[in-house]
Amino acid sequence: MSTPAPTTRQRWTGLAVLVLAVTVVALDATVLSLAIPSISETLRPSGTQLLWIGDSYSFVLAGLLVSMGALSDRIGRKKLLLTGAAAFGAASLLAAYAPGPGWLILARALLGVAGATIMPSTLSLIRSLFPDDRERATAIGIWGAAATAGAALGPVVGGLLLEHFWWGSVFLLNIPVLLLLLALGAWLLPESRDPEPGRWDVLSVGLSMAGVIGVVYAIKEAAAHGVARWDVPVTFLLGAAALTLFVRRQLRLETPLLDVRLFRDRRFTAAVTASLISLVGLSGVIFVVSQYLQLVRGYEPLQAGLAELPAFAGSVAGGLLTARIARRFGARKALTVSLLAMGLAAGALGWLQQDTTYLVLAVSFLVTGTAEGVVYTLGADLVLSAAPADKAGAASAVSETAYELGTALGIALVGSVVGSIYANGLTVPAGASPEVAARAGESLGAAVETADGLSPDLAQPLLASARDAFVHGMNSAGLLAGVLLVGAGLLAWLLLRGLSAPTAAEPVTAGPVAAGPVAAGPEQPETAEHAEHAENADKPHVPA
């Protein structure tokens, strides 16, 4: 027996619940950035532990998203969403009261496990709630704005809490929001699942997680220490081998965990690649600049969070304007120009100095946030439109994996580059003990903490050298992020070559492999011919 279609009121109230869920998970990825100096002072982590505190959440989340997306198709998207929300609240409590860096890393990893059950469920439930292409495009625009705004709003919320409470408060913030999500979600959200899910392949789950974490770990360590260490190439080869076996296994399975054939669609590939690399730039910039504002420029946490507010405003505007931009200029131009704009804004950090006027930072944040809002929302829509409706969870998970993997890579790659250049560029004044030199070389936060216990004739030159070294590392990282984003823009332009946006008189198609309904243009009702055209037309889906 078929489930009755949700009413208009049920659809939009359900979307409000999903927006609440995605905002919490996205905010948790960046809310910790401004707490790094406070955590360094309280828990005294090493430089490597500091990176893992930032990385472990996104690493685990990225490694499990595909698996959890496929699981949501099987056991029910609403059920998995609510289970994940409860687990996310429990892990938040563990993180808030972590007694040491190891405990905090573990708690962040558990948050990643719980987050992996939430993110793909939200996007796939949108597919179920909004079968109409036009309504779904608007819903995805709101959802995308919430996701990017949550990430951009993280530093502001973190700064506000740190102004009055200890660093653990950034995790306790999740609890009341998640309780509200559980209550409203159980009441308002419909259940949906794949009617013929097949077997959930445990070996594929293990291969996907081992591959993602292995490759990302190798990239992180190579950026920090070079490829001379034996574990870097070994871990990379093992991760790459696991991913290769994963892909080959998916091609053989009757019901794969991830239908890798989706990547044959150039829209799908371009969208996933754009989302991945854009988040590398955004998360890397936020992670580094949050430390720069506090530890180099001397901003208070709340002041630093407010300084990053243009990124939040831009991401909301970009997400909400995506449909109009894509309809006006086409998916190819919208995606490419947004990536190029992000590249130029991130590259501007290459010329940032300790006394650079804030206006430069504000413009960079605004451009980065706006462009990311467009890239993320348009990418999610292209991914979702390329997938059959009954595989929405697994396809959504690919989009979210790109999001979280990009976040993890951004922190790992940019953070490791900054850390490596900082350590090599730091000059410890004569007369400082070896212990002081070792501690100060771990991170800028450690150097600031160490300087507090030194005499002024040692503290001042140590701080000056540490800040100079950090800014130099930030400059190099900004240029690296800029190059990656410009490269992603060129790749998107090539992948979408020959694909044009439909005009107002043409039907908006849902991609060559989409199984959902095709939305007709304003002058053309939906017909069987239009549906057949959607199977063959070489045009990208453009939000209407």
Side-chain angles (χ1 to χ4, degrees):
M1 185 175 65
S2 61
T3 304
T7 65
T8 299
R9 182 178 179 181
Q10 289 173 329
R11 289 198 297 273
W12 294 106
T13 52
L15 177 65
V17 176
L18 299 179
V19 163
L20 190 66
V22 75
T23 302
V24 169
V25 178
L27 187 146
D28 214 70
T30 59
V31 72
L32 199 63
S33 59
L34 287 179
I36 293 298
S38 179
I39 290 173
S40 297
E41 182 180 352
T42 305
L43 301 184
R44 299 177 64 84
S46 67
T48 300
Q49 287 177 323
L50 198 62
L51 285 178
W52 278 113
I53 288 171
D55 287 342
S56 55
Y57 174 78
S58 294
F59 278 179
V60 174
L61 202 158
L64 284 175
L65 272 169
V66 170
S67 303
M68 293 301 181
L71 184 62
S72 74
D73 288 336
R74 288 160 170 77
I75 70 172
R77 292 142 189 166
K78 173 181 175 179
K79 181 185 297 183
L80 193 64
L81 172 65
L82 298 181
T83 301
F88 203 89
S92 296
L93 285 173
L94 293 176
Y97 296 101
W103 183 284
L104 182 55
I105 291 170
L106 175 62
R108 291 277 287 167
L110 293 176
L111 280 168
V113 175
T117 68
I118 295 174
M119 293 295 277
S121 299
T122 60
L123 191 54
S124 54
L125 279 168
I126 288 178
R127 179 68 180 261
S128 302
L129 282 169
F130 298 93
D132 178 74
D133 280 357
R134 291 183 177 274
E135 280 196 337
R136 187 172 69 241
T138 302
I140 290 176
I142 296 171
W143 175 90
T148 54
L153 191 59
V156 181
V157 175
L160 183 62
L161 291 172
L162 292 168
E163 193 79 8
H164 303 285
F165 307 103
W166 95 114
W167 60 263
S169 62
V170 301
F171 296 108
L172 294 182
L173 171 71
N174 297 333
I175 306 301
V177 180
L178 290 167
L179 290 175
L180 182 63
L181 170 62
L182 287 170
L184 294 179
W187 175 38
L188 295 172
L189 292 176
E191 184 58 280
S192 69
R193 59 172 59 89
D194 184 349
E196 299 179 1
R199 184 170 63 93
W200 198 58
D201 188 54
V202 178
L203 180 57
S204 294
V205 174
L207 288 173
S208 67
M209 189 167 184
V212 169
I213 293 179
V215 170
V216 173
Y217 172 83
I219 292 173
K220 171 183 173 296
E221 293 300 307
H225 307 291
V227 296
R229 283 176 31 178
W230 67 270
D231 61 322
V232 172
V234 169
T235 307
F236 181 82
L237 290 174
L238 289 175
L243 289 177
T244 301
L245 291 174
F246 172 78
V247 170
R248 295 181 65 179
R249 185 169 181 81
Q250 303 318 294
L251 292 172
R252 292 196 306 268
L253 290 174
E254 182 178 350
T255 55
L257 190 69
L258 169 65
D259 187 358
V260 295
R261 294 177 181 85
L262 288 171
F263 284 93
R264 293 175 180 172
D265 189 320
R266 286 184 287 151
R267 303 172 190 80
F268 190 90
T269 303
V272 170
T273 304
S275 297
L276 173 67
I277 300 181
S278 67
L279 261 297
V280 170
L282 180 65
S283 62
V285 166
I286 289 177
F287 182 77
V288 173
V289 173
S290 294
Q291 296 179 68
Y292 163 80
L293 290 172
Q294 291 181 84
L295 300 176
V296 176
R297 299 186 71 120
Y299 286 14
E300 293 297 323
L302 178 57
Q303 186 183 7
L306 293 175
E308 297 180 14
L309 200 56
F312 162 70
S315 63
V316 173
L320 295 177
L321 291 174
T322 297
R324 182 176 299 177
I325 292 171
R327 190 165 58 241
R328 174 68 177 83
F329 300 103
R332 187 189 188 198
K333 288 181 181 178
L335 202 59
T336 302
V337 172
S338 296
L339 287 165
L340 294 178
M342 282 191 73
L344 293 175
L349 296 180
W351 286 269
L352 207 63
Q353 299 300 318
Q354 295 187 39
D355 57 351
T356 301
T357 176
Y358 169 71
L359 182 61
V360 174
L361 269 177
V363 172
S364 176
F365 283 142
L366 181 62
V367 173
T368 300
T370 304
E372 169 56 26
V374 175
V375 171
Y376 185 63
T377 306
L378 182 57
D381 187 71
L382 289 170
V383 165
L384 200 61
S385 300
D390 57 357
K391 302 299 180 185
S396 303
V398 176
S399 177
E400 294 311 311
T401 298
Y403 181 95
E404 294 301 333
L405 190 56
T407 300
L409 278 173
I411 294 175
L413 185 60
V414 175
S416 297
V417 167
V418 173
S420 179
I421 294 175
Y422 166 81
N424 291 328
L426 178 66
T427 301
V428 179
S433 67
E435 292 78 13
V436 168
R439 177 63 179 158
E442 290 178 354
S443 67
L444 177 58
V448 172
E449 179 195 348
T450 302
D452 287 340
L454 300 177
S455 60
D457 59 327
L458 292 177
Q460 291 178 4
L462 176 62
L463 284 175
S465 176
R467 286 166 175 157
D468 285 341
F470 183 87
V471 169
H472 181 56
M474 182 180 65
N475 294 155
S476 300
L479 292 173
L480 173 62
V483 169
L484 288 173
L485 287 161
V486 169
L490 297 176
L491 181 61
W493 183 260
L494 292 174
L495 286 173
L496 297 176
R497 184 179 61 241
L499 306 180
S500 59
T503 66
E506 294 173 327
V508 180
T509 70
V513 295
V518 178
E523 302 299 332
Q524 293 182 331
E526 183 177 339
T527 64
E529 289 80 11
H530 289 151
E532 181 180 356
H533 175 68
E535 294 293 321
N536 301 293
D538 192 22
K539 296 178 179 178
H541 176 81
V542 177

